[in-house]
Amino acid sequence: MLGWQLCNYCHGCEVGPKPDSPLYIEWRANHECQKNFAGSSNAMEAEAAVAIFRRSINKRGLVYSGGGAKSTQKINEVAVYDFNVEKEDCINQISKRMFNALENVKNSNIKELNRKLTKTNIEKITNTYATNLKRSAPDTIQMREDVNGGIFHIHGILSTDAKPRHHLCPTGIHSWCYFQRVLALGEELRKHNTTIKAEVEKFILQIVERLTQPDLLQRCAALQT
Ligand SMILES: [Zn+2]
Ligand SMILES: [Zn+2]
């Protein structure tokens, strides 16, 4: 173990996009994390194994969804490597369905949606969907709730200054949600420009409803043990 520096601070993680950000998945896949230790000393071997696991996942172009809350499962995650790869594939697959469904609804309602459901917004919704599925698997109820929370949270799509929709976001000063943090701190919210109109909402929510049905999520969730 000579030369192995214990470190649980990573500047990249500190300044990089947080898990609720649409940029997170892509960032995480390419991020060489400087944290090599985030547990008690007897967890170090597991951490070292996980670092190798992460790197091999990254090399295959797949996204690893590890996080602090999952630290106790780390050895298991390494042991069920193949299952995790399958789970990632499954979530990537249903995320493509989300992307296609949004594109299709846009193309069949071009008059209403053309300028509003932009490619950027479609990508944001799809990334939010995938991130939350990965984060909350294998609990399908939680997956469904977190996807909804994440999508309501996206500013300028379903949430606006006039009508903030952060009711499903975690509360408190440590929340990843800016709105909830500001609320807890009693500070003033930054204003944003928003152009999205309420009629877009029904199209998006119909698709989210369909693609968060428990039987669909169960297929992917079951692959993670
Ligand atoms: Zn990092
Ligand atoms: Zn929020």
Side-chain angles (χ1 to χ4, degrees), residues 18-30:
K18 298 300 173 275
D20 66 311
S21 162
L23 304 170
Y24 181 78
I25 294 182
E26 211 192 336
W27 170 83
R28 190 69 190 78
N30 297 311

Side-chain angles (χ1 to χ4, degrees), residues 61-98:
L62 294 163
V63 180
Y64 173 69
S65 61
K70 289 186 176 169
S71 57
T72 54
Q73 296 174 12
K74 283 189 174 174
I75 299 175
N76 289 342
E77 278 173 358
V78 174
V80 294
Y81 177 91
D82 289 335
F83 288 100
N84 276 291
V85 172
E86 273 185 51
K87 187 200 65 154
E88 298 293 351
D89 279 350
C90 184
I91 289 175
N92 290 341
Q93 259 172 34
I94 64 171
S95 299
K96 273 187 203 119
R97 281 171 68 172
M98 172 61 82

Side-chain angles (χ1 to χ4, degrees), residues 8-184:
N8 75 17
Y9 175 80
C10 170
H11 186 68
C13 285
E14 213 55 29
V15 301
K18 298 300 173 275
D20 66 311
S21 162
L23 304 170
Y24 181 78
I25 294 182
E26 211 192 336
W27 170 83
R28 190 69 190 78
N30 297 311
H31 175 60
E32 276 280 346
C33 195
Q34 301 306 303
K35 288 182 195 176
N36 55 26
F37 179 64
S40 62
S41 60
N42 62 3
M44 194 167 70
E45 290 292 337
E47 288 293 336
V50 168
I52 294 161
F53 170 72
R54 279 187 184 152
R55 246 159 249 153
S56 62
I57 288 273
N58 285 342
K59 272 194 199 123
R60 288 162 191 238
L62 294 163
V63 180
Y64 173 69
S65 61
K70 289 186 176 169
S71 57
T72 54
Q73 296 174 12
K74 283 189 174 174
I75 299 175
N76 289 342
E77 278 173 358
V78 174
V80 294
Y81 177 91
D82 289 335
F83 288 100
N84 276 291
V85 172
E86 273 185 51
K87 187 200 65 154
E88 298 293 351
D89 279 350
C90 184
I91 289 175
N92 290 341
Q93 259 172 34
I94 64 171
S95 299
K96 273 187 203 119
R97 281 171 68 172
M98 172 61 82
F99 186 88
N100 292 338
L102 291 165
E103 278 217 320
N104 289 341
V105 82
K106 178 181 173 170
N107 292 334
S108 4
N109 299 276
I110 204 82
K111 227 177 83 189
E112 289 132 294
L113 298 181
N114 194 28
R115 310 264 296 279
K116 292 160 189 162
L117 194 56
T118 58
K119 181 143 189 285
T120 310
N121 284 343
I122 290 176
E123 282 167 357
K124 272 189 193 172
I125 295 170
T126 305
N127 284 343
T128 302
Y129 178 69
T131 308
N132 283 287
L133 291 183
K134 283 169 195 173
R135 185 165 50 196
S136 312
D139 181 344
T140 54
I141 308 278
Q142 196 64 44
M143 287 160 91
R144 186 173 157 84
E145 202 175 298
D146 289 351
V147 165
N148 275 281
I151 288 170
F152 273 120
H153 164 92
I154 306 172
H155 200 87
I157 300 183
L158 294 185
S159 189
T160 63
D161 286 337
K163 194 180 178 189
R165 309 282 283 282
H166 302 278
H167 55 291
L168 295 172
C169 296
T171 56
I173 58 168
H174 300 296
S175 175
W176 49 255
C177 172
Y178 166 73
F179 181 89
Q180 291 288 357
R181 277 202 311 277
V182 169
L183 202 70

